[in-house]
Structures are given as C-alpha cells and as structure tokens.
Amino acid sequence: MGRMVTRRYNPIRDTELDVGVVALVHSLQSARGKVLNGRRCILIEYLSKDERWKVQIQDESTTTALKVGNIKLTRRPVGATHPEYLEMSLWYTQQFSAMLAGRTLEKKYRNARGVTFEDDEPYYRARKFVELLDHCNDGYEPHQTIMHGEIARYYSVVPETSQSCDATMGNLEYTAGCIALSGMCYGRAMRAMDCGDGRPDIVVFALLESAPVSLSVLLSHVVSTHYIGPESGYDRVRDDFRSSRMKRNIDDCELTPDQCSKDYCNAMKGPLGILYSLHKLKNTPGRLDKILFGRIEKHPLFSKTLHRLFRLAARESKGTQDGEELGYTARCILMHMADMDDQMDDATYKSLTADSCSWGNGIQQQLLVKDDITSYEELLEFLQELLK
C-alpha cells in the first residue's frame, strides 16, 4: 500500500479565500476570540510562514491573524429582494418624501430591495444601499423604481425629470444607491468633501461582500453616465450617448460625453464621493483603501475610469461647471491612487491637492486624451512627468 502524503495547504487552490474576500470569523475558543465569532472580516494578506490570514475585522482598530479553520465564506443572495419579487407590482414609481423615513412598513416591504431606515444598524444600511447596485439577474431591468424609507431622501437629490431622457429604471436605482453610500462615507449627505464622522470602512465591506457587478455599476456610473440635464439639450447628443452606453456587457461601456449640468454634478458626487473618502483609510492598519483600489486596478473599466478623472481635472482648468464642482475631487482621487505607497514627489502632490487648479493648455490636452493607463505604477509615472 502506498504511503499517504499530506499536502500543504494552498490558500488559493484549496479554498475560495483570496485577498479582498469578506468572510466570517468562527470557532475561536479564547475569551477574546469568542467575542469576535460571527463578525465579518476582510482578508488582507496570506501569511504563508504562519499559515494564517491577516484580516481586518469589522469595527476593530487593528488587524488580526487567523487560521483558515477560523474563517468561513459568507454569501448573500442577489436580486431576491427586489420589490417585483415581493408582489409589489401595483406600486408606481414615485419619490417618497423624507417624512416616510419614520413610518413602519409591513415586514415583507421593509425587507425589499434598498429599503432601510436611519435607525437601522450601519452595516445593514450599507448593504441595503449596495443592493441598488446589484443586477437582479442577467438582462433583468426593473420596470419601476421603489424608493421607500431613507433611500427616498437620496433619490430626490437628482430629480427624475433631469434623467428622463436617457435613464433606465436601473440607472435611477444606481444613482440613488451611489449617493446614499457616499452619504454614509461622510456621515451626512451631499456636504463638502470632509469625512467627519463617516464610515467609508463600512461601505468598503458592503461593496466587497456584494456581487462583483456592484463594483462594475459603481465604475460605469463614472465612465458611462447616462444623460442628466434638461430635455432640450438631449437631442443633439442622443446618438453619442446611445453608442457609448448600449453595450451588452456593462464592463464594455465607453466614455460618454462630458456633462456640466448641476444635476449631473450632484449625481457624480455619489461614486466620486465614495472613491474620495478612501483617503481616510490610508493610515489604518488594514489599508482597506488599497484593497478596494486593488480590485479597481484589475477591473476592465480601470483605464476608462482614470480617463474620466483626467477629463474632470482638465475641465477644472477650463472653468466648466463640472470641472469646478468635481475637478478637485477627481485630482485628489488620482493622487491617492498614484501615491498609495508614498512614492509621489512633493511637486506632483502639491499640484494635485491644491485648492484650485489652473493648468496650462498643454497639460489640459494631454489629460483630455489620456486613456491607456493600465496600472497605478503607470499612473504615478505619467502624473510626475506631466506635472514636473
């Protein structure tokens, strides 16, 4: 009989555990460990020498090293909570006022897609907002939007009338979900870019635990934003928007034309606000900013996302409304992406984080057309050469 061979554990081959995966802590036996059982954690790094995973446990200020046997994957269903699955088809699209946030709903309505209230536990609220970024299934498009509870307040930030020319019902959900998540990052909605008492860490947990399509929706909302503005301006750009957005796969979408309406700027403060808020996590032990940005770097929309940020930064120097309102945020996101390992020179850092920006035509033109960067290393090299 042959000798039994014991195989060493391989973290990638033997399990679905990987960097950025959200899992649950379980079966810890110490007094301290028992308190952590059942808590969510994000896998940061596999420590091969110790055969443990370095993890960031939710709401903990330090990282922890856990054995594989003390980690189990968590899965959440996608799409099953959409109102149409809950026999709510008689409800019509409408914008509920914030007054509804305090009312009690029947249980099945309270569990519906995106429905949460301000007194709910923070992570539950974040997960409900992320639901609005999840596709129910391939090719599914809700025929109506149901905005009830806290999300109704965020839904009303960008009037439906400004989105009626080009948006699908899904687009309306995506816009509201991104703005709500941005509000969680700052602890309040639509204020200046100061995180205050916000919780970007909770938003990162919710995005990483959700279906991969949530990140695709977040990035596509930056890259391929639907037309948001007065109906009178849509006819002349209709074909450009449709050719960019009408893709079978969301990851294949193209950059839509620049927009400068006030409602467009408010809508973009959703996804850009989420990305901007990650700077608050730069000095934390788990570096969840690097985890989420790492996922973005590998995403098919990475280069196009950078292209949109470049264009917003260039348009700030041109004095357009979208540039003036979003350019500083775009510059700071670019700085954070390129400087995660503190390798950026002082001149580039100061140029990207200055209160105002007046780059010359040469810099503007390079930013407007730059669409081929494929890594943060390339991004840092490009920015330092451009702004030296």
Side-chain angles (χ1 to χ4, degrees), residues 54 88 216 234:
K54 179 182 177 181
M88 297 170 69
S216 294
Y234 181 58

Coordinates of all heavy atoms in Angstrom, one line a residue, residues 54 88 216 234:
K54 N -4.0 37.3 7.4 CA -4.1 38.6 8.1 C -5.4 39.2 7.7 O -5.7 39.3 6.5 CB -3.0 39.5 7.6 CG -3.0 40.9 8.2 CD -1.8 41.7 7.7 CE -1.8 43.1 8.2 NZ -0.7 43.9 7.7
M88 N -45.0 43.5 -5.4 CA -45.3 44.9 -5.2 C -45.5 45.6 -6.6 O -45.3 46.8 -6.7 CB -44.2 45.6 -4.5 CG -44.0 45.0 -3.1 SD -42.5 45.6 -2.3 CE -42.9 47.3 -2.0
S216 N -18.8 47.0 -10.8 CA -19.0 47.4 -12.2 C -19.9 48.5 -12.4 O -19.7 49.5 -13.1 CB -19.4 46.2 -13.0 OG -18.5 45.2 -13.1
Y234 N -30.8 67.3 -25.0 CA -30.6 65.9 -25.2 C -30.5 65.5 -26.7 O -29.7 64.7 -27.1 CB -31.6 65.0 -24.5 CG -31.4 63.5 -24.7 CD1 -30.2 62.9 -24.3 CD2 -32.4 62.7 -25.3 CE1 -30.0 61.6 -24.5 CE2 -32.2 61.3 -25.5 CZ -31.0 60.8 -25.1 OH -30.8 59.4 -25.2

